[in-house]
C-alpha cells in the first residue's frame, strides 16, 4: 500500500503483472482496501499493456479488471500478430479503447458473423480498426 500511495503522489511508472492487478482490484472476490482499488483504477495517466496478443474474453477476470481503468490513454504492445479469433480481437480493442466498444458493438457483431459469407466484411472491419491499430514491423531481425 505504501508503494501504491507513493506512486500515486509522484506520478511515476508502476510495473505490475496482470494477475496482481486483477487481485488488487478485487475482481476475484478478495476484499482488498477500497483505496487500493481506487488508486489502480483512477490514477493511471497512461496504461501500457504488454503481451497484447493474449486473447481476452468476457469471462477473463483480467479483462474485466482492465476495462474498469478510467484513463483514456492506452497502449497495447504485441510482438506477434493477433490470433485468428475475431471476438478476441474485439475484446482486446475494447480494452485499448473503451469508446470503441460502445460505438461499434452491434456493427462488429454483424460484420464478424458474416466474414465467411461476405468478403467486404473483413475490409470493413479493417477500416473500423484502422484508427486504433498501428503496425510497425522490423525486418531482418
Amino acid at each position: 500500500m505504501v508503494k501504491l500511495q507513493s506512486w500515486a503522489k509522484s506520478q511515476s511508472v508502476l510495473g505490475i503483472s496482470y494477475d496482481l492487478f486483477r487481485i488488487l482490484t478485487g475482481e476475484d472476490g478478495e476484499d482488498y482496501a477500497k483505496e487500493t482499488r481506487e488508486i489502480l483504477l483512477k490514477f493511471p495517466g497512461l496504461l501500457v499493456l504488454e503481451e497484447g496478443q493474449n486473447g481476452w474474453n468476457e469471462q477473463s477476470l483480467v479483462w474485466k479488471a482492465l476495462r474498469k481503468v478510467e484513463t483514456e490513454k492506452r497502449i497495447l504492445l504485441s510482438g506477434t500478430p493477433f490470433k485468428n479469433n475475431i471476438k478476441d480481437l474485439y475484446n482486446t480493442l475494447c480494452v485499448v479503447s473503451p469508446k470503441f466498444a460502445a460505438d461499434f458493438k452491434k456493427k462488429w457483431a454483424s460484420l464478424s458473423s458474416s466474414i465467411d459469407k461476405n468478403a467486404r466484411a473483413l475490409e470493413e472491419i479493417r477500416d473500423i480498426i484502422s484508427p486504433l491499430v498501428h503496425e510497425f514491423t522490423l525486418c531482418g531481425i
Side-chain angles (χ1 to χ4, degrees):
M1 189 59 181
V2 171
K3 286 286 186 190
L4 283 176
Q5 289 172 339
S6 171
W7 168 73
K9 289 179 185 174
S10 66
Q11 297 185 358
S12 59
V13 175
L14 175 67
I16 188 169
S17 72
Y18 288 124
D19 284 334
L20 183 56
F21 182 84
R22 173 189 52 84
I23 290 167
L24 293 176
T25 57
E27 282 300 312
D28 65 351
E30 295 292 328
D31 188 26
Y32 285 88
K34 180 180 177 184
E35 186 178 5
T36 301
R37 282 190 298 276
E38 185 174 307
I39 288 171
L40 290 171
L41 297 176
K42 294 183 181 196
F43 279 74
L46 173 67
L47 181 64
V48 179
L49 305 166
E50 171 143 65
E51 300 297 329
Q53 73 275 7
N54 293 336
W56 288 317
N57 60 52
E58 294 90 351
Q59 289 77 40
S60 166
L61 297 176
V62 172
W63 183 79
K64 289 177 182 180
L66 290 171
R67 295 267 316 207
K68 292 181 180 183
V69 177
E70 294 183 12
T71 187
E72 290 186 28
K73 296 178 183 177
R74 298 160 188 245
I75 298 172
L76 182 124
L77 304 171
S78 177
T80 59
F82 290 102
K83 297 175 184 173
N84 291 330
N85 184 319
I86 200 77
K87 184 64 175 169
D88 284 354
L89 174 59
Y90 175 78
N91 288 336
T92 300
L93 294 171
C94 289
V95 169
V96 173
S97 179
K99 288 181 182 180
F100 174 86
D103 293 344
F104 293 108
K105 185 173 185 171
K106 288 181 184 177
K107 184 168 184 154
W108 186 277
S110 172
L111 289 171
S112 64
S113 67
S114 67
I115 285 177
D116 292 337
K117 303 169 204 132
N118 178 2
R120 177 71 184 125
L122 187 56
E123 291 176 31
E124 287 186 53
I125 287 175
R126 283 187 192 141
D127 292 343
I128 290 170
I129 68 173
S130 66
L132 300 175
V133 177
H134 303 282
E135 182 181 347
F136 179 74
T137 305
L138 294 175
C139 297
I141 294 180

